[in-house]
Amino acid sequence: MMKKIIYIFIGCLLLTSCSGMLDIESHSAVSPGSVTPQDLSALRMGMYNKVQNSPTRESYITFDILGGDLTQSTGNAKDLINSVLSSLNSIVSSSWNGYYNALYQVNNVLSIVESLPESELRNLIIGEAHYFRAYIYHALVTRWGGVPIQKVNTMEKPFRDSEEAVWSFIEEELQTALAFLGTSSSYYYVSRDAALALKARVMLERGNLTEAATLAEGLITDGKYKLDSFDKIFRGKSNTEVIFSFQCLAEESNITISTLFYTYAHPNHGSYVYRPTNEVMNMYDDKDKRKEVSIINVGSEPCINKYPSGQTGTDPVVMSRLAEMYLISAEAQGFPKGLGRLNDLRKERGLESVDPKDKDEFLQCVLDERRKELLAEGFRYYDLIRTNTAKTTLGLKDYQHVLPIPGKEMISNPNLEPNPGY
């Protein structure tokens, strides 16, 4: 996939501490003024690579770590949550730096391609870049709340924008992306449908339920996608369910999520940093078609099984797929109308219908189904935050409903105010 990658002036990243910088121009990159239309494909692949890899592998499962579904050697999920929710924790700092590093590259790409002559590829890259900016800021706002909005790269020390301003910016970016994007050659590239899927997620999280349901239903009913087996979705096989996924080819990717989940006794080996809780291991019905691919016992040790490569390679990381759209539609339509979509998904996964008696029972059914369907895909913590159930489910304190701003960043940039309570 990637024969040549152009990194445009990566240098000293906004908001990230740097020292000993004698030159601000990179000696191993093409300068922005030297890029020609012939370089567009390489520029595009460099952007994909940076967005995929910079936030680091644990950014993809942070919400599973914080959502109480994973634990470490203590066996207590709350110990892990409290450990991660520290301004000095490496997951917090590497994710913050990684998302802004990726943003730096995306902003560079936009500034370059917008100055080049119009072409089909140039317009596609513009659409992909705006999608990636929406994706990056969605990751930032759901973790830290209000953060600095950077439409262009700068050496200034910015202040934090409000959470509302960030959400509005995400919506604007998605609208711009939709104007440029069309179909893609495969689900390993951003398409218009990928932008629609992310917008449906954003609308649900923002409480714009009518639009969330409309967007999700559009993807469910347009005929291009169909619910498929977990074996295909999470084993890199051709399938009808994935809308957008990072391919994570071994030679270009450091997103080795699987090694964090398997023990060394697994045939593909692993470092076994995180293990599913007993509750997770017992939450799947034996008839549930998701069970075998989602969890596994290696000897006597419970493991997440969605990412099968272990230490032998890397696995695709799904960004959006049709099952999420079923769950968005169900939740957004509410009780009782959304019950049909919830049970459609359950039937496809080999389960009987549920019959909640009121809206509260219905919401709990949706959250339970999201937990089983989207395990280890980065949803659980924010699902509990946005539905105001994190305190009762996880025992979180009010200030733990957002992550701490990394301590190093606040030292580097005094304009960054900490999140209250940290």
Side-chain angles (χ1 to χ4, degrees):
M1 177 180 178
M2 198 169 301
K3 302 298 184 184
K4 177 184 176 188
I5 299 173
I6 295 179
Y7 290 106
I8 305 296
F9 180 14
I10 298 303
C12 178
L13 176 66
L14 164 71
L15 302 179
T16 304
S17 303
C18 293
S19 60
M21 291 291 291
L22 299 179
D23 301 310
I24 61 171
E25 293 291 344
S26 171
H27 294 277
S28 60
V30 177
S31 65
S34 301
V35 177
T36 69
Q38 286 68 44
D39 296 314
L40 280 174
S41 292
L43 186 71
R44 181 191 186 200
M45 292 301 98
M47 177 173 66
Y48 271 79
N49 183 284
K50 206 68 179 174
V51 174
Q52 171 184 297
N53 287 289
S54 285
T56 72
R57 62 189 178 185
E58 278 163 309
S59 68
Y60 292 98
I61 58 169
T62 298
F63 287 174
D64 300 282
I65 294 170
L66 295 177
D69 284 347
L70 301 177
T71 185
Q72 292 184 312
S73 56
T74 67
N76 188 337
K78 191 62 183 296
D79 289 344
L80 178 58
I81 293 169
N82 287 333
S83 172
V84 172
L85 290 177
S86 162
S87 61
L88 301 179
N89 187 273
S90 62
I91 294 176
V92 172
S93 59
S94 63
S95 294
W96 174 282
N97 292 340
Y99 285 120
Y100 273 107
N101 200 328
L103 176 67
Y104 194 86
Q105 181 77 354
V106 172
N107 283 347
N108 273 327
V109 169
L110 271 174
S111 68
I112 292 165
V113 297
E114 288 175 343
S115 67
L116 295 176
E118 186 159 338
S119 69
E120 184 176 339
L121 180 56
R122 176 251 192 199
N123 290 344
L124 172 61
I125 294 172
I126 289 174
E128 291 173 331
H130 283 285
Y131 169 88
F132 282 137
R133 277 215 303 213
Y135 163 75
I136 290 166
Y137 270 101
H138 179 265
L140 290 168
V141 75
T142 54
R143 284 162 173 77
W144 289 284
V147 294
I149 297 174
Q150 297 295 295
K151 299 179 182 180
V152 295
N153 294 330
T154 176
M155 298 300 291
E156 295 180 2
K157 297 182 185 297
F159 291 87
R160 296 176 68 177
D161 289 280
S162 70
E163 184 172 345
E164 180 63 29
V166 178
W167 281 113
S168 295
F169 180 64
I170 292 167
E171 292 186 44
E172 292 168 9
E173 288 297 287
L174 287 172
Q175 282 305 112
T176 304
L178 287 167
F180 284 93
L181 292 169
T183 58
S184 62
S185 56
S186 82
Y187 48 68
Y188 293 126
Y189 292 93
V190 174
S191 64
R192 191 171 192 275
D193 287 345
L196 290 171
L198 181 54
K199 188 175 181 182
R201 185 186 302 172
V202 169
M203 291 298 99
L204 178 72
E205 293 166 346
R206 294 273 280 155
N208 192 337
L209 302 184
T210 299
E211 187 167 3
T214 299
L215 290 165
E217 281 295 312
L219 290 165
I220 292 169
T221 60
D222 75 355
K224 283 186 282 187
Y225 306 99
K226 184 180 178 182
L227 294 172
D228 214 332
S229 73
F230 263 39
D231 180 68
K232 291 181 180 179
I233 297 165
F234 296 102
R235 298 298 180 260
K237 301 175 183 179
S238 178
N239 66 85
T240 59
E241 181 163 327
V242 173
I243 299 171
F244 174 55
S245 174
F246 284 125
Q247 191 168 14
C248 296
L249 295 178
E251 62 267 26
E252 70 188 44
S253 178
N254 56 30
I255 307 303
T256 51
I257 297 174
S258 181
T259 191
L260 299 172
F261 288 138
Y262 283 152
T263 70
Y264 199 75
H266 188 276
N268 291 336
H269 307 306
S271 53
Y272 204 43
V273 178
Y274 305 106
R275 63 197 72 186
T277 62
N278 289 334
E279 187 177 354
V280 167
M281 293 299 292
N282 292 315
M283 72 181 180
Y284 291 97
D285 189 287
D286 286 341
K287 295 182 293 185
D288 197 323
K289 296 177 182 179
R290 299 169 294 199
K291 182 177 182 179
E292 202 172 281
V293 172
S294 298
I295 56 173
I296 188 175
N297 279 294
V298 179
S300 61
E301 301 290 357
C303 299
I304 298 292
N305 197 34
K306 273 188 174 176
Y307 306 94
S309 292
Q311 295 179 352
T312 66
T314 57
D315 304 293
V317 181
V318 176
M319 295 292 100
S320 54
R321 58 188 179 92
L322 193 64
E324 185 197 354
M325 299 302 108
Y326 273 77
L327 291 164
I328 288 174
S329 179
E331 184 177 344
Q333 290 187 72
F335 180 79
K337 190 175 180 181
L339 191 55
R341 282 302 183 205
L342 178 61
N343 283 327
D344 286 345
L345 177 62
R346 287 180 58 83
K347 181 179 179 181
E348 186 65 28
R349 302 310 188 211
L351 300 173
E352 297 175 356
S353 296
V354 291
D355 185 25
K357 299 299 185 287
D358 56 37
K359 65 179 183 180
D360 292 332
E361 271 191 39
F362 173 72
L363 177 60
Q364 189 58 54
C365 287
V366 172
L367 289 175
D368 289 345
E369 207 61 42
R370 287 180 67 89
R371 188 183 190 189
K372 288 179 280 191
E373 180 72 31
L374 303 171
L375 176 69
E377 296 181 56
F379 286 91
R380 180 63 173 169
Y381 172 76
Y382 196 69
D383 277 350
L384 297 175
I385 297 296
R386 67 179 179 79
T387 56
N388 298 311
T389 54
K391 185 178 290 188
T392 54
T393 303
L394 301 176
L396 295 185
K397 299 175 182 178
D398 288 338
Y399 72 86
Q400 292 179 315
H401 290 196
V402 288
L403 277 63
I405 304 297
K408 188 176 181 181
E409 300 309 315
M410 290 189 291
I411 293 172
S412 291
N413 180 7
N415 294 331
L416 287 178
E417 296 180 359
N419 276 327
Y422 289 106

